[in-house]
Amino acid sequence: MNVLFPRDLKQLFKALAEPGARVLAGGTDLLVRLRSKPDLSCTLVSLDRLAALRGVAEDSGAGNKGAATGVGPGTLHRVLRLGAACTHAELLAHPLVRARLPVLAQALADLGSPPIRNMGTLGGNLCTASPAGDTLPPLLALGAEVELASTAGTRRLPLAEFLLGPGRAALQPAEILTAVRVPVPGVNVRQHFEKVGRRDALAVAVVSLAALVRLGHGGKVAEARLAWGSVAPTIWRCPEAEAALVGRKLSLTALAEAAALVRAQVQPISDVRASADYRREVAGNLLLRLAMLE
């Protein structure tokens, strides 16, 4: 098995043109799969030495499809550009992420173990496209979009269009994810992430919820963005529940009514980690936790 370490995008795309080439980011998923089913003819192309895929920067969000004046779509806003090869630990420790995107920081803190956070990358988590991926619900709720690059050029895509299903992302042949652009929520936006697993540590989410709620006059909800993980083939939102909260305070009564809408709409599956009925109940119950944000 060959391992290549390109130092710029030109070298990267040349390496990816080799037969059997596969991208190696953190390797927390890929190396496990290769260990169980070795492929000695495979060429691994490491992203570890590509400075273009690292770092966190803040810039103007002019023209950004996912940019937000409050929580939802807008035309101009501050945006954090997160390099796809940043590790979870690097992002969790970054002051801009912690200050501007606490919902993402909360998810990163719950992700795996310290060794996993030190190896795994943001781009790897997204390209794996698992509905249980911890960074996916907060990024979808935030209105993130991905930057993609190939020899044909670069393009941007809303995260909701990038995630196609379990293990399926909208990557074209020899195309890579270079960065994630995340609009910074405006003022009076409450952010919350929580997941339920079968154990307290190293848990794969049975159900997770990322919530962004913008409060307006009198503490009433002006806008809500709610994204659940592990309840559908990809990250799932419930527009009916979001709309039901608008114009109301985050009281248990309002949240219970929205939770009932969630349970009526969500269609999870049963698997070895949980039954569909349990996931449906928990998906609604997690919404009740937002009462603490009032």
Side-chain angles (χ1 to χ4, degrees):
M1 184 182 296
N2 234 357
V3 182
L4 304 179
F5 293 90
R7 294 184 176 274
D8 57 38
L9 292 181
K10 183 178 179 180
Q11 292 180 3
L12 171 65
F13 293 131
K14 181 179 179 181
L16 290 177
E18 292 197 9
R22 302 181 69 175
V23 172
L24 173 65
T28 55
D29 288 318
L30 178 60
L31 295 180
V32 171
R33 291 199 297 269
L34 289 176
R35 179 178 294 177
S36 62
K37 190 176 180 181
D39 181 2
L40 298 180
S41 65
C42 175
T43 296
L44 299 181
V45 183
S46 173
L47 306 181
D48 189 56
R49 299 178 187 177
L50 288 165
L53 305 188
R54 304 191 77 93
V56 174
E58 187 173 19
D59 61 24
S60 169
N64 188 71
K65 294 179 182 178
T69 53
V71 177
T75 57
L76 177 64
H77 202 267
R78 303 303 298 177
V79 169
L80 284 188
R81 184 182 184 276
L82 313 178
C86 288
T87 67
H88 305 309
E90 289 169 344
L91 292 174
L92 180 58
H94 201 286
L96 282 177
V97 174
R98 298 181 73 89
R100 305 282 199 272
L101 310 175
V103 65
L104 179 59
Q106 291 165 15
L108 290 166
D110 276 349
L111 193 156
S113 62
I116 293 296
R117 291 193 290 272
N118 283 322
M119 289 182 61
T121 65
L122 179 64
N125 205 228
L126 295 183
C127 291
T128 300
S130 167
D134 288 328
T135 67
L136 278 60
L139 289 173
L140 186 67
L142 285 160
E145 67 178 14
V146 294
E147 287 184 5
L148 308 171
S150 68
T151 54
T154 61
R155 63 186 179 116
R156 293 183 188 174
L157 197 63
L159 182 61
E161 297 178 19
F162 181 71
L163 303 172
L164 302 179
R168 298 174 53 235
L171 284 167
Q172 296 174 355
E175 186 175 51
I176 64 162
L177 172 62
T178 54
V180 181
R181 294 177 60 85
V182 187
V184 177
V187 297
N188 295 325
V189 175
R190 307 291 193 266
Q191 303 184 40
H192 177 74
F193 174 85
E194 189 168 354
K195 76 175 181 180
V196 172
R198 296 189 63 180
R199 53 193 180 192
D200 293 334
L202 300 176
V204 177
V206 169
V207 183
S208 61
L209 170 64
L212 272 76
V213 180
R214 179 163 58 92
L215 300 181
H217 182 71
K220 294 180 179 179
V221 175
E223 184 179 8
R225 294 174 66 91
L226 310 169
W228 281 264
S230 289
V231 297
T234 187
I235 306 307
W236 180 75
R237 289 180 62 185
C238 185
E240 295 84 358
E242 293 174 348
L245 293 176
V246 173
R248 307 178 70 179
K249 290 191 174 183
L250 288 175
S251 65
L252 281 176
T253 298
L255 290 167
E257 292 176 12
L261 293 171
V262 170
R263 297 189 189 103
Q265 295 291 328
V266 70
Q267 298 182 34
I269 63 169
S270 297
D271 60 18
V272 295
R273 289 184 289 119
S275 69
D277 287 342
Y278 179 78
R279 283 191 164 99
R280 184 176 297 107
E281 189 68 18
V282 171
N285 289 350
L286 283 178
L287 202 55
L288 304 180
R289 304 279 284 177
L290 301 187
M292 71 178 73
L293 302 181
E294 188 176 12

